Structures are given as structure tokens and as C-alpha cells.
Amino acid sequence: MLKLAITGCTGRMGQRVLKEANRDPNIEVVGALSRPGNLFLGQDVGVFIGQEPLDISITDNPTLAFKNADVVVDCSKPGGLETHLQEALQQNKAFVACMTGLSETHKAFLETASTKIPVLVAPNTSLGNVLLRKMAVLAAEILGPSYDVSIMEMHHRSKVDAPSGTSLSLAHALANLEHLKKSNPPYPAQSPRTEGTIECVSLRGGNVPGEHTVIFAGDKDLLKIEHRVLDPSLFAHGAILAAQWLFGRPPGLYAIDDVVGISS
Ligand SMILES: NC(=O)c1ccc[n+]([C@@H]2O[C@H](COP(=O)([O-])OP(=O)(O)OC[C@H]3O[C@@H](n4cnc5c(N)ncnc54)[C@H](OP(=O)(O)O)[C@@H]3O)[C@@H](O)[C@H]2O)c1
């Protein structure tokens, strides 16, 4: 039985991870952390997610929250990372960082921590997205420079960043290819297109959980490779798979690609 502590547990991602974990017979939720002032502090975690009581209270004390855990799954925001990682280091716990928007300072901190504990950085825990990236790179290699490459994404109306982190990581992987080397973040759309570049286009609207399409447009045909999230609990499921994969690994810096078992 894998014992999990979940931070940012009152947020959308945190709640989804709590729910997925609670319905998985191989997982036990042993800690649920929010921050001081949160409305739900002290509430039973099971009741909080609309299920049977779990006899675990939502706390703002990381020492308490991580005490019985094998793995900490951080579903808070980048602002919470340092405190959570510091405590995981203190208690020698494996750590999965699920938040997006990490700065270079955060990344350096994660890297340093990974010399002492296993750390998996997964701003996108959808395994399908890893496959999308692999397939897109393969398609770009095969199709070559005569095809223009575009990445189109759509997310719900309240998403803050554009292009999405996933679009940027797709573009980054493609820009490693010799014929797409002229591409530079944030990969703006161009009219007319310059050869050797990638463009990223973002759409925002409604309640769309996340869609990414990589388009290869040639003179005589057009290829689209698409990943569409149908249910956002997908990300929680991926976070739990990542935690299961990470437990028992030696200290090191890991990515979601490692969970899928393919190198990027
Ligand atoms: N890995 C993935 O596949 C994936 C999928 C979806 C989202 N995400 C990312 O996961 C993160 C959380 O997303 P969300 O939609 O759940 O956000 P959210 O609903 O705003 O929840 C954020 C949670 O973190 C807490 N929090 C915020 N700032 C904190 C800080 N400085 N210290 C400690 N706790 C803090 C919040 O507490 P309060 O309620 O008290 O503010 C809340 O519990 C975002 O970075 C998001 O982009 C990743």
C-alpha cells in the first residue's frame, strides 16, 4: 500500500488526486496539506471530498502532513514549492512536483534536492501527452523541412498562460531537430510562414480541459496528431502513477517520460 501526502489538497488538482487516490485500493492518503488561513483546515479529508471520513484532517503543518507518507504529491502553486520540498528533504520523502509555471530558481532547487531524494517534475501528468510529443517528433523527422509545423491548443476560458506549458514543451522538443532550429519561444504565428519555424496558436474558451494538436502542412497533404483530455481526472490518475513509479527509486531528477518508459 503506497502512502501519499497531498499538498494544495483543497485546490482543483489536489481534490482530484485525493479522489483518485481514495478510490484506489493500493493507495492510502495519510496527509493533506493546505496553507494557513485556508477555509477547510481541520476538516476530515474524506468528508471534504464528499466520501466516508478518513480520520485525516486537512492541516497547514507540512511536518505533520508528510510524517507517515512514502511520497509527497505537490499539487499547490510554485509559491508553495520551496516550503514543501524543504520539508520533504528534511523527512527524506520522495517528491512529485505537479505544478506548472516553475521559474529557473525553482528548477535549480528541485535539481539540488534530487541529489538527496527522488524528485519527479511533472507539470503535465497526462501520459498521452508524452506519446503525442514522441509521435510529433517522429513525424517531423520523417516528413522533413517541406512541411510547416504548427501547434494548436485550446483550454478553458480561465487558463492564465498562453501558449500552454505543454505547447511550449512540444515546440521545444521539435525545435531540437535540425530543420526546425530557427524556432524561438514563444513560437509566434507568422504570415507568411518562414521556413524552419514552428508556430504555436492558443484558443481559450468554455470549460475545455485541454486539447493539443500538432499539424504538419505540406503541399499535397496535411497530417494532424491530436491529444484531447476528456476528463481532467486524467491528470490526477497520472500523478498517482508517477508517485507509484517514483517510490523506492534512488535519489535523482525524473520526468513523466520516465514513467511512460520512453526517453525524450
Ligand atoms: N501536472 C498536471 O498535469 C497538472 C494538471 C492540472 C493543473 N496543474 C497545475 O497544478 C497547480 C494547481 O492547479 P489547481 O488548478 O489545482 O489550482 P488551484 O485550484 O488554485 O489550487 C491551488 C492549491 O494550492 C494552494 N496554494 C496556492 N498557493 C500556495 C502557496 N504559495 N503555498 C501553499 N499552498 C498554496 C491553494 O490553497 P488556497 O486555496 O488556500 O489558495 C490550493 O489548495 C497549478 O500550477 C496548475 O497549473 C498541473
Side-chain angles (χ1 to χ4, degrees):
M1 181 82 86
L2 184 72
K3 297 184 168 71
L4 287 191
I6 295 146
T7 73
C9 72
T10 55
R12 282 161 295 191
M13 177 73 174
Q15 288 187 51
R16 286 184 195 120
V17 174
L18 281 175
K19 285 180 185 160
E20 284 288 311
N22 200 32
R23 71 168 71 101
D24 187 328
N26 299 311
I27 305 280
E28 187 182 354
V29 176
V30 295
L33 185 72
S34 197
R35 57 175 167 177
N38 186 283
L39 276 179
F40 301 101
L41 288 177
Q43 191 168 127
D44 182 277
V45 173
V47 174
F48 174 66
I49 57 172
Q51 293 166 14
E52 292 299 308
L54 285 178
D55 226 11
I56 304 279
S57 300
I58 298 173
T59 176
D60 60 0
N61 180 336
T63 309
L64 211 64
F66 297 0
K67 193 174 62 158
N68 297 318
D70 298 317
V71 184
V72 174
V73 180
D74 195 347
C75 298
S76 71
K77 295 280 180 74
L81 176 72
E82 195 166 338
T83 311
H84 301 154
L85 196 51
Q86 203 66 260
E87 186 60 37
L89 273 167
Q90 199 74 30
Q91 297 194 33
N92 198 27
K93 305 290 183 185
F95 192 88
V96 180
C98 289
M99 64 278 280
T100 57
L102 296 174
S103 67
E104 291 308 313
T105 311
H106 292 127
K107 288 178 191 165
F109 192 39
L110 286 159
E111 201 169 336
T112 307
S114 74
T115 60
K116 301 215 166 61
I117 55 171
V119 173
L120 194 147
V121 183
N124 187 323
T125 42
S126 144
L127 306 190
N129 250 306
V130 179
L131 290 176
L132 173 69
R133 175 157 36 80
K134 288 299 282 185
M135 289 194 284
V137 170
L138 180 65
E141 280 168 352
I142 294 170
L143 295 172
S146 63
Y147 283 73
D148 294 312
V149 184
S150 303
I151 298 166
M152 191 168 74
E153 49 108 350
M154 183 159 192
H155 283 88
H156 53 90
R157 60 169 73 89
S158 42
K159 184 167 176 64
V160 181
D161 52 324
S164 68
T166 301
S167 281
L168 292 173
S169 75
L170 276 166
H172 182 69
L174 288 161
N176 282 328
L177 299 176
E178 191 57 37
H179 70 276
L180 293 169
K181 250 190 172 148
K182 285 189 222 150
S183 312
N184 284 312
Y187 312 99
Q190 297 171 343
S191 298
R193 285 296 294 267
T194 310
E195 201 190 296
T197 61
I198 299 161
E199 69 172 2
C200 282
V201 181
S202 301
L203 307 176
R204 295 286 171 266
N207 196 26
V208 179
E211 298 183 8
H212 291 87
T213 311
V214 186
I215 304 167
F216 297 89
D219 291 334
K220 295 184 174 56
D221 64 358
L222 184 137
L223 175 70
K224 285 184 183 181
I225 310 175
E226 182 169 85
H227 180 257
R228 190 178 288 185
V229 180
L230 300 178
D231 180 338
S233 68
L234 174 83
F235 299 112
H237 182 65
I240 287 169
L241 288 176
Q244 285 171 318
W245 182 90
L246 192 64
F247 180 55
R249 302 260 163 203
L253 191 60
Y254 302 100
I256 196 72
D257 293 40
D258 297 311
V259 180
V260 183
I262 47 180
S263 55
S264 47

